[in-house]
Amino acid sequence: MWSCMFALSSLAHAEDSTFTGTAEAPTEEAPATETHVTGELGGTVASGNSNFYTVNGLVSASHKFGRNQLSLVAGLNLGGAKPLPVVATTTGGATETLPPADPDKYVQNVQRLYADGRYDRFLTDHDALYVLAGAFRDRFAGYDLRTHEQIGYSRLLVDGEAATLRAELGLDWAQEDYTGDVDPGYADILAARVLLGGSYAFDDRASVADTVEVYENLLDPADVRVLNTASVTATLSGKLSLKVSHALIFDNVPVEGFEPLDQTTMVTLVASLL
């Protein structure tokens, strides 16, 4: 009898240990986060018969948490040169060389400053809605300040180990302040935006990328802007890369008095900071 009671008591204790609430609750995994920060720097200095300098810099950062992503891109292109002598024709038809008023002073002829901040909300691993705000200043293209806000949809079309391809469709509203000699000096632009961009990695050391953006003024469909950025990147070490890039900006209705096409070719050293 005692052995039966002992067996029943042991069984009861074993069952008690399986009551609801006694087992350790499963822990929820924290949302995955990713942070990337890169910096680029390049420049040129020349002296002698030609005296000029250029400086190019870019900082790119992104932070992804769960289905949210914040990103920032900011950069600058600066350049200047010492003025050259001017060849002038006199009233008698002869020519003479006139020295510059201040031959030792560098005159700035490139000044482009820009920054864009963006928030993406991922609906799936390949689909996202985004909002964006940014500004740039380029007096040598006629812009004293250009700010813009944007909303849109982004779709990752190809997501492979070597190749990626992304398409975006959005609506952009820009506020343009022009340099002092332009009349009128301000305009609002409401435009549709289409983007197609991709990259391909040949291996761990070399990759290419290209992005094309097209903006069409909804109130003046003949006003179209095209931006294209292509690059080739070669890895030098785990943190450093060498990048050759070409940026093209075409506006078939440019600021009055300025050229419709701007092109910039840069060689920069890229550092993966984080």
Side-chain angles (χ1 to χ4, degrees), residues 32-40 58-65 68-74 116 118 122 166 238-239 270-274:
T33 62
E34 289 183 36
T35 302
H36 301 281
V37 180
T38 61
E40 299 183 26
L58 177 70
V59 174
S60 177
S62 66
H63 178 65
K64 186 176 181 181
F65 51 103
N68 308 283
Q69 179 171 283
L70 298 173
S71 56
L72 173 68
V73 176
D116 280 316
R118 171 168 166 158
F122 288 89
R166 181 182 300 278
K239 293 290 185 180
V270 183
S272 297
L273 305 178
L274 188 63

Side-chain angles (χ1 to χ4, degrees), residues 115-198:
D116 280 316
R118 171 168 166 158
Y119 168 72
D120 287 80
R121 173 63 181 180
F122 288 89
L123 308 177
T124 69
D125 291 341
H126 296 84
D127 302 272
L129 301 177
Y130 72 87
V131 294
L132 179 150
F136 78 82
R137 174 185 172 89
D138 190 344
R139 294 187 300 107
F140 297 100
Y143 295 98
D144 190 49
L145 180 65
R146 185 184 192 273
T147 58
H148 71 133
E149 300 78 40
Q150 191 176 123
I151 58 173
Y153 165 73
S154 178
R155 169 71 178 177
L156 186 60
L157 302 174
V158 178
D159 186 17
E161 293 185 4
T164 63
L165 182 64
R166 181 182 300 278
E168 294 183 351
L169 180 64
L171 188 66
D172 186 85
W173 179 38
Q175 305 82 45
E176 300 181 345
D177 284 290
Y178 306 124
T179 55
D181 297 333
V182 177
D183 185 29
Y186 175 85
D188 283 302
I189 307 293
L190 182 64
R193 170 187 181 260
V194 178
L195 175 145
L196 187 65

Side-chain angles (χ1 to χ4, degrees), residues 43-55 79-84 103 106:
T44 304
V45 176
S47 62
N49 292 311
S50 297
N51 297 272
F52 65 90
Y53 73 90
T54 61
V55 177
K82 290 184 179 180
L84 297 174
Y106 280 91

Side-chain angles (χ1 to χ4, degrees), residues 49-117:
N49 292 311
S50 297
N51 297 272
F52 65 90
Y53 73 90
T54 61
V55 177
N56 308 303
L58 177 70
V59 174
S60 177
S62 66
H63 178 65
K64 186 176 181 181
F65 51 103
R67 292 195 174 276
N68 308 283
Q69 179 171 283
L70 298 173
S71 56
L72 173 68
V73 176
L76 58 85
N77 305 119
L78 302 176
K82 290 184 179 180
L84 297 174
V86 178
V87 178
T89 302
T90 63
T91 54
T95 60
E96 61 177 333
T97 302
L98 304 177
D102 193 350
D104 295 325
K105 181 180 179 180
Y106 280 91
V107 177
Q108 193 173 58
N109 53 20
V110 178
Q111 186 197 62
R112 182 177 177 86
L113 311 172
Y114 57 93
D116 280 316

